[in-house]
């Protein structure tokens, strides 16, 4: 059998968008379900690829033959003849690939017109003006699309005629005027192409088909595909649709328009769109006349409005999806020219999902699957008001989504003072941030840095807190001392208002209004369905009771990671923590810890109470302790300043001595400069700073991330872990005494051998017995380990003997697996690796299934061989990313934990993961 290159709308498979393009497939589908589509046929994308691949850009031999056969069918269906001078058939030639690429490729209308058929068309319609208007449109489109002529060539001629006729609007032109336009157009065509305008309709058609095929490789289309990452696997080549022309410009009973079956901005269940009476389709798009809202059609053409409503219902019922469609009404008959799934914003997607289930149009699974989890993010953060136009002054990386407005401040202390103490809205602007800036984060609306990537300290911490962050905005230079900064060469001072948009990385001067997100009723409903369907449990990373409350609001079913060091960083604790660190003896350290204990206990109790009865997982202290101390440079600087101050104060004493002498000589009363500070105080401060400096130097490590941290710290300074364990268990006991149901879990970071775990477990057992005896409460706190070093994966079997649960820390595990330090990797070589596809993705963003994932699978297998009911989760940043969540489902994890604002995304992704892997 010879190859089939052409399909009639009545026979093409409406599901086969690869072959027929989206537009073509839907024209077939609509025809076959009985909607009124003008007759026509589709030339396949295969023909396009053949054409583009062939050296001389030849179409397969049989194509034009098959086109002729199908044209015959169209002639029969319409009762007209292609090229027939009496009763001419006119067609449009339209492109359409598997992915919609709006406006990227071209359409030719009114094809089939020539000097002879034009006469027939005029005779048929009895409307010369209409005939010439159709002809001049065709000549211009054909010249442009098939011959590559610029529009301006035609526009100039058109203007001349308009001026001669003294009209300003196209509609003012008479038939004779338009006839002159046609003559001029034909002339321009001939001058430019060196050949007369083709009279033979089949020649017109063949040239047009080839032109559409060529437009696939046109600059616009190629750029578009690159911009939107449309790969050949998604769309390869364009189909050509040949479709009988229908005319919306045949009088006041004709019209044309575009519509969405529901409002794509809000999801409201009401036809949404625009139309123009007595106009061609392109006029709506071109904005030559202002179209009317579709609501108005009811008054203007009630019968058509009724038919349109019916069309809308049939489209939705069939596609079970919101449709974006084009229609034309020719003398009281409604035709549908195109349909596709409507693109909507996230709130509209959510609302329509829930409402379509209510209407029985789709089921819950379809409702969940039609929404891309990542798009939900739009709904969960404040957004810049889209009605306000503004130009960004700088751009960085979109490091943590959402928009924030505030006064610029350049160091954390000032941020805290202005933000927390004075209650102002501030944006913390730094070249980069460090852990000791954390109090500034708490006080700020958002964070802006000029260095560092999406996983820089600023980015990670801001995401964890759900605060907007723009990172790595080059061209920002901060002078902390002067309290000013230069942004792209312009000066901003502390207190100047700026706006940042962490969703796209833009930075603006001044205040741009923002709109608050709303957690709509529909979103709640949808996410409840997701929870019912999902297997993976979604928990949140939350460090404080406030974080926990927010996590609950976002629907977290527990806390999968509470980083206790975040509690240590709060202003009222940090001095105690520093005291603990600089302690010279175990007793001194114990004293500091004794004062920290009640504070931690109450932190934990509040967390447990907030989350009751859901589980709360607390990680024992993880980072190297020097992180709580200021940096060496800072300390040296402080000491220097104190020394100067001491000198100055001593200088004052000298001055006072001299003044006393002088006044005695002159016999005047003694003038004395009051003493500013007691030198004793300065001495004391100096001593403390010197001690801290010594400690900082003692604690300096070549590679702190692989150094004295995590469980290593817990074993070498047992008092620290023991204090934390006691605080957790006493908090549990306090809750139990109040009859509050709590499920605490503690986990140990950085474990590499079961012996470490056993060591810490012994503290737990001993302290637990003590607390139980003292309080009379029975405690159930579970004990688990993080799996974040490679050896822990290899020893998972023996770790399982000591643990009730595993929690993969995939951030550290990824670093350890690749031997990449994340900051360095992302700032230096990873972008180049990604660009050259040495690594396809950034493994810190997309979980590396083949390496890290494989290790996880081994660890899970060995762990569960020992303990079949071992509960296993993930608490790295990957826990909130849909692709990683899909992996977690496939691998058989029990839970994922992510930052609070990612929780809704993860809930939907967990449902997708279950449904897609059934
Ligand atoms: P796009 O892919 O850019 O939407 P289309 O192929 O849909 O291009 O064509 C552009 C415009 O031309 C449409 O708005 C439609 O109204 C009009 N059009 C295309 N084919 C016909 C036809 N057979 N009859 C009437 N108008 C048509
Ligand atoms: Mg279209
Ligand atoms: Mg870790």
């Amino acid at each position: 059998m010879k190859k089939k290159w052409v399909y009639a709308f009545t026979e093409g498979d409406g599901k086969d968008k690869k072959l027929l393009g989206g537009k073509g497939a839907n024209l077939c589908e609509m025809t076959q379900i009985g909607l009124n589509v003008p007759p026509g046929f589709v030339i396949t994308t295969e023909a396009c690829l053949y054409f583009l691949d062939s050296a001389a850009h030849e179409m397969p031999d049989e194509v034009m033959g098959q086109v002729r056969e199908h044209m015959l069918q169209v002639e029969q269906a319409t009762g007209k003849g292609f090229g027939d001078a009496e009763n001419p058939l006119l067609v449009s030639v339209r492109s359409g690939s598997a992915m919609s690429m709006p406006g990227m490729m071209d359409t030719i209308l009114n094809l089939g017109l020539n000097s002879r058929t034009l006469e027939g068309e005029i005779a048929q319609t009895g409307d010369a003006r209409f005939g010439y208007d159709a002809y001049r449109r065709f000549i211009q489109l054909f010249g442009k699309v098939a011959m590559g002529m610029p529009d301006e060539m035609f526009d100039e001629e058109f203007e001349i005629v308009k001026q001669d006729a003294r009209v300003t609007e196209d509609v003012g032109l008479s038939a004779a005027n338009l006839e002159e336009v046609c003559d001029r157009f034909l002339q321009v065509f001939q001058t430019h192409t060196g050949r007369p305008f083709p009279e033979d309709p089949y020649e017109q058609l063949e040239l047009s088909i080839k032109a559409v095929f060529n437009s696939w490789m046109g600059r616009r289309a190629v750029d578009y595909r690159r911009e939107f990452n449309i790969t050949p696997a998604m769309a390869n080549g364009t189909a050509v649709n040949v479709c009988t022309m229908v005319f919306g410009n045949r009088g006041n009973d004709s019209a044309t328009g575009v519509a969405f079956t529901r409002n794509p901005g809000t999801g409201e269940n009401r036809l949404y769109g625009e139309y123009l009476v007595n106009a061609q389709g392109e006029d709506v798009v071109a904005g030559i006349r202002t179209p009317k809202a579709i609501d108005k059609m009811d008054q203007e053409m009630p019968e058509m409005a009724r038919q349109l409503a019916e069309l809308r219902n049939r489209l939705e019922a069939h596609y079970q999806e919101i449709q974006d469609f084009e229609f034309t009404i020719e003398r009281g008959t409604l035709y549908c020219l195109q349909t596709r799934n409507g693109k909507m914003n996230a709130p509209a997607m959510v609302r329509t999902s829930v409402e379509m289930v209510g209407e029985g149009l789709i089921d819950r699974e379809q409702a969940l699957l039609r929404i891309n989890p990542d798009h939900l993010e739009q709904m969960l953060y404040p957004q810049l008001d889209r009605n306000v136009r503004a130009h960004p002054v700088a751009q960085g990386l979109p490091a943590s989504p959402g928009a924030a407005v505030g006064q610029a401040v350049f160091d954390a202390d000032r941020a805290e003072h202005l933000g927390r103490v004075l209650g102002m809205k501030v944006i913390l602007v730094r070249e980069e941030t460090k852990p000791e800036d954390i109090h500034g984060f708490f006080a700020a609306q958002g964070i802006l840095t000029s260095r560092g990537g999406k996983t820089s300290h600023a980015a990670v911490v801001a995401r964890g807190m759900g605060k907007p962050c723009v990172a790595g905005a080059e061209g920002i230079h901060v002078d902390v001392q002067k309290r000013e900064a230069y942004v792209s060469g312009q000066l901003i001072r502390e207190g100047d208002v700026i706006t940042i948009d962490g969703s796209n990385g833009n930075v603006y001067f001044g205040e741009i209004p923002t709109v608050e997100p709303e957690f709509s009723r529909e979103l709640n409903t949808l996410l409840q369905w997701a929870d019912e369907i999902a297997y993976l449990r979604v928990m949140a990373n939350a460090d404080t009771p406030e974080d926990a409350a927010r996590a609950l609001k976002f629907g977290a079913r527990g806390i999968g990671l509470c980083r206790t060091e975040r509690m240590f960083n709060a202003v009222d604790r940090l001095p105690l923590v520093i005291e603990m660190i600089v302690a010279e003896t175990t007793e001194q350290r114990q004293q500091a810890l004794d004062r920290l204990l009640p504070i931690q206990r109450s932190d934990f109790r509040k967390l447990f109470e907030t989350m009751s009865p859901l589980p709360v997982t607390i990680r024992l202290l993880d980072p190297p302790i020097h992180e709580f101390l200021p940096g060496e440079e800072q300390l040296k600087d402080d000491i220097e300043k104190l020394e100067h101050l001491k000198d100055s104060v001593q200088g004052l004493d000298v001055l006072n001595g001299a003044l006393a002498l002088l006044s005695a000589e002159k016999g005047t009363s003694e003038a004395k400069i009051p003493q500013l500070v007691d030198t004793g105080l300065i001495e004391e401060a100096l001593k403390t700073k010197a001690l801290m400096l010594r400690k900082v130097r003692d604690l300096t490590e070549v590679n702190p991330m692989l150094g004295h941290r995590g469980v290593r710290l817990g074993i070498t300074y047992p008092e620290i872990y023991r204090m934390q364990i006691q605080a957790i268990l006493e908090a549990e006991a306090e809750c139990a005494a109040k009859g509050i149901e709590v499920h605490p879990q503690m986990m140990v970071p950085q474990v590499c051998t079961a012996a470490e775990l056993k060591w810490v477990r012994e503290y737990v057992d001993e302290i637990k017995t003590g607390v139980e005896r003292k309080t009379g409460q029975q405690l159930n706190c579970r004990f688990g380990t993080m799996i974040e070093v490679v050896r822990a994966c290899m020893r998972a079997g023996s770790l399982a003997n000591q643990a009730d649960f595993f929690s993969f820390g995939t951030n550290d595990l990824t670093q350890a697996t690749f031997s990449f330090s994340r900051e360095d990797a992302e700032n230096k070589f990873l972008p180049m690796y990604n660009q050259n596809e040495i690594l396809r993705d950034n493994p810190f963003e997309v979980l590396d299934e083949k390496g890290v994932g494989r290790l996880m699978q081994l660890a899970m297998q060995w762990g569960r061989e020992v303990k079949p009911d071992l509960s296993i989760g993930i608490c790295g940043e990957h826990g909130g990313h849909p692709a990683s969540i899909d992996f977690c489902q496939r691998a058989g994890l029990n839970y994922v934990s992510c930052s609070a604002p990612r929780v809704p995304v993860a809930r939907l992704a967990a449902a997708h993961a279950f449904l897609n892997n059934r």
Side-chain angles (χ1 to χ4, degrees), residues 9 27 38-43 67 71 74 82 91-94 111 205 209 240-244:
F9 291 168
L27 285 167
F41 51 87
V42 192
I43 306 158
V67 163
M71 194 62 94
V74 175
F82 192 52
V91 298
S92 63
V93 175
R94 318 166 64 188
L111 189 138
L205 185 57
I209 293 170
V240 171
N241 304 288
V242 176
C243 181
T244 305

Side-chain angles (χ1 to χ4, degrees), residues 313-566:
N313 294 341
R314 290 179 67 183
L315 282 171
E316 277 203 353
H318 179 74
Y319 285 99
Q320 302 184 319
E321 185 51 273
I322 312 314
Q323 295 297 299
D324 164 3
F325 65 103
E326 299 180 356
F327 63 91
T328 285
I329 298 166
E330 178 177 316
R331 311 190 79 179
T333 306
L334 173 67
Y335 295 90
C336 192
L337 290 177
Q338 185 178 341
T339 192
R340 62 182 163 220
N341 291 344
K343 287 207 174 79
M344 280 169 280
N345 65 15
M349 280 304 279
V350 169
R351 175 167 172 182
T352 50
S353 260
V354 173
E355 291 187 354
M356 283 195 291
V357 171
E359 294 156 28
L361 212 52
I362 56 175
D363 62 26
R364 289 183 180 189
E365 293 183 4
Q366 288 171 296
L368 292 166
L369 285 173
R370 71 191 273 275
I371 302 177
N372 175 343
D374 276 326
H375 288 176
L376 283 189
E377 243 187 357
Q378 272 180 23
M379 296 178 74
L380 306 170
Y381 298 98
Q383 306 280 316
L384 290 186
D385 188 338
R386 255 180 292 172
N387 297 320
V388 178
R389 290 260 154 266
H391 284 290
V393 287
Q395 207 190 17
L397 297 165
S400 176
V405 183
Q407 303 184 14
V409 287
F410 307 109
D411 72 87
D413 293 342
R414 290 293 295 167
E416 170 151 68
H417 181 69
L418 298 178
R420 182 115 90 192
V421 182
L422 302 182
M424 302 195 298
K425 288 193 185 322
V426 301
I427 307 278
L428 178 61
V429 183
R430 305 275 296 160
E431 300 215 329
E432 63 190 348
T433 62
K434 293 238 168 68
E436 63 257 28
D437 293 328
I438 190 87
H439 54 296
F441 280 63
F442 285 126
Q445 307 296 310
I447 291 90
L448 169 61
T449 69
S450 60
R451 278 205 299 273
K454 280 198 204 168
T455 50
S456 58
H457 174 267
V460 173
V461 174
R463 275 203 294 280
M465 292 182 182
K467 297 207 170 178
C469 175
V470 173
E474 284 169 26
I476 298 186
H477 300 283
V478 179
D479 188 332
V480 177
Q481 302 294 328
K482 287 197 189 146
R483 293 188 186 161
E484 60 186 38
Y486 280 90
V487 177
S488 309
Q490 274 175 273
L491 177 71
I492 52 169
R493 295 210 170 78
E494 181 180 290
D496 288 350
V497 173
I498 60 171
T499 301
I500 62 170
D501 187 345
S503 308
N504 59 19
N506 285 342
V507 181
Y508 305 86
F509 284 150
E511 172 173 354
I512 311 224
T514 56
V515 249
E516 280 304 307
E518 50 172 325
F519 215 86
S520 63
R521 195 164 38 88
E522 284 98 354
L523 183 57
N524 270 320
T525 307
L526 189 88
L527 291 174
Q528 259 158 26
W529 296 344
D531 292 345
E532 282 164 28
I533 282 175
Y535 171 78
L536 285 166
R537 184 185 184 113
V538 177
M539 310 227 256
N541 301 346
D543 304 326
T544 62
E546 298 81 64
D547 282 358
R550 211 157 51 105
L552 273 183
K553 203 182 86 191
F554 284 120
R557 288 160 71 207
I559 291 177
L561 172 66
C562 165
R563 288 158 289 210
T564 44
E565 56 272 18
R566 295 278 161 88

Side-chain angles (χ1 to χ4, degrees), residues 80 87-88 90 110 120-134 137 244-256 276-281 283 289 301 328-333 335:
K80 300 180 177 203
N87 186 15
L90 306 185
N110 306 335
E121 187 67 16
I122 291 173
Q124 279 281 319
T125 58
D127 187 344
R129 191 185 181 285
F130 165 80
Y132 289 114
D133 190 46
R137 287 177 200 258
T244 305
M245 280 305 300
V246 289
F247 295 97
N249 52 345
R250 290 288 307 279
N252 288 333
D253 55 355
S254 300
T256 186
L276 269 176
V277 172
N278 196 8
Q280 286 248 61
D283 300 342
R289 279 162 57 194
M301 5 173 54
T328 285
I329 298 166
E330 178 177 316
R331 311 190 79 179
T333 306
Y335 295 90

Side-chain angles (χ1 to χ4, degrees), residues 619 622 709 749-750 786 788 809 811-812:
R619 179 177 71 183
D622 183 37
R709 63 177 289 209
Q750 301 293 328
M786 294 208 45
E788 54 188 338
N811 297 351
D812 276 324

Side-chain angles (χ1 to χ4, degrees), residues 157-286:
E157 302 296 326
F158 199 72
E159 279 311 309
I160 294 173
V161 177
K162 258 165 74 175
Q163 271 170 19
D164 289 352
R166 296 180 200 290
V167 300
T168 49
E169 304 291 322
D170 299 2
V171 284
L173 293 172
S174 66
N177 295 147
L178 287 167
E179 185 177 0
E180 193 194 334
V181 171
C182 292
D183 288 341
R184 285 173 172 269
F185 278 14
L186 289 170
Q187 193 54 53
V188 172
F189 183 94
Q190 175 142 16
T191 319
H192 180 79
T193 63
R195 54 173 286 185
F197 192 80
E199 287 274 301
D200 174 7
Y202 276 106
E203 190 189 348
Q204 296 173 350
L205 185 57
E206 185 167 350
L207 286 169
S208 301
I209 293 170
K210 287 179 173 171
V212 172
F213 284 167
N214 272 321
S215 70
W216 178 252
M217 292 311 291
R219 168 97 189 278
R220 258 186 305 161
V222 172
D223 286 349
Y224 185 94
R225 292 200 292 278
R226 182 173 327 116
E227 177 69 25
F228 292 94
N229 293 319
I230 298 178
T231 61
M234 297 156 83
N236 208 3
T238 179
V240 171
N241 304 288
V242 176
C243 181
T244 305
M245 280 305 300
V246 289
F247 295 97
N249 52 345
R250 290 288 307 279
N252 288 333
D253 55 355
S254 300
T256 186
V258 292
F260 278 80
T261 55
R262 302 184 190 210
N263 186 319
T266 64
E268 191 191 358
N269 184 4
R270 210 163 130 192
L271 193 62
Y272 175 91
E274 292 176 328
Y275 75 105
L276 269 176
V277 172
N278 196 8
Q280 286 248 61
E282 71 214 66
D283 300 342
V284 178
V285 193

Side-chain angles (χ1 to χ4, degrees), residues 656-667:
N656 276 332
L659 285 178
L661 254 176
L662 273 175
S663 59
E665 262 171 33
K666 293 182 186 164

Side-chain angles (χ1 to χ4, degrees), residues 482-651:
K482 287 197 189 146
R483 293 188 186 161
E484 60 186 38
Y486 280 90
V487 177
S488 309
Q490 274 175 273
L491 177 71
I492 52 169
R493 295 210 170 78
E494 181 180 290
D496 288 350
V497 173
I498 60 171
T499 301
I500 62 170
D501 187 345
S503 308
N504 59 19
N506 285 342
V507 181
Y508 305 86
F509 284 150
E511 172 173 354
I512 311 224
T514 56
V515 249
E516 280 304 307
E518 50 172 325
F519 215 86
S520 63
R521 195 164 38 88
E522 284 98 354
L523 183 57
N524 270 320
T525 307
L526 189 88
L527 291 174
Q528 259 158 26
W529 296 344
D531 292 345
E532 282 164 28
I533 282 175
Y535 171 78
L536 285 166
R537 184 185 184 113
V538 177
M539 310 227 256
N541 301 346
D543 304 326
T544 62
E546 298 81 64
D547 282 358
R550 211 157 51 105
L552 273 183
K553 203 182 86 191
F554 284 120
R557 288 160 71 207
I559 291 177
L561 172 66
C562 165
R563 288 158 289 210
T564 44
E565 56 272 18
R566 295 278 161 88
M567 297 172 165
F568 280 5
N569 263 315
V571 260
D572 52 333
R573 302 38 185 317
L574 198 55
L576 286 176
V577 174
I578 292 176
E579 203 178 312
M580 166 190 91
I581 296 171
V582 299
E584 303 271 26
T585 62
T586 313
E587 290 74 52
Q588 275 177 5
R589 173 165 307 115
Q590 192 58 52
Q591 270 176 19
L593 286 166
D594 286 347
R595 286 161 65 200
L596 273 172
L597 174 71
I599 300 178
Q600 283 253 286
R601 183 173 57 222
S602 102
D603 286 340
F604 294 144
R605 198 198 63 234
K606 285 187 208 141
L607 259 182
F608 295 161
E609 285 175 358
T610 308
M611 295 304 294
S612 164
L614 300 169
V616 175
T617 316
I618 293 164
R619 179 177 71 183
L620 299 177
L621 194 67
D622 183 37
I625 47 177
H626 73 80
E627 281 198 4
F628 298 101
L629 298 178
E632 185 170 343
E633 288 311 309
Q634 169 84 54
L635 282 169
K636 282 202 287 200
D637 198 49
D638 289 355
I639 288 173
E640 199 178 313
K641 286 204 179 101
L642 285 171
E643 295 282 6
H644 281 313
L645 182 60
K646 199 168 76 180
D647 277 355
S648 309
V649 171
Q650 281 165 352

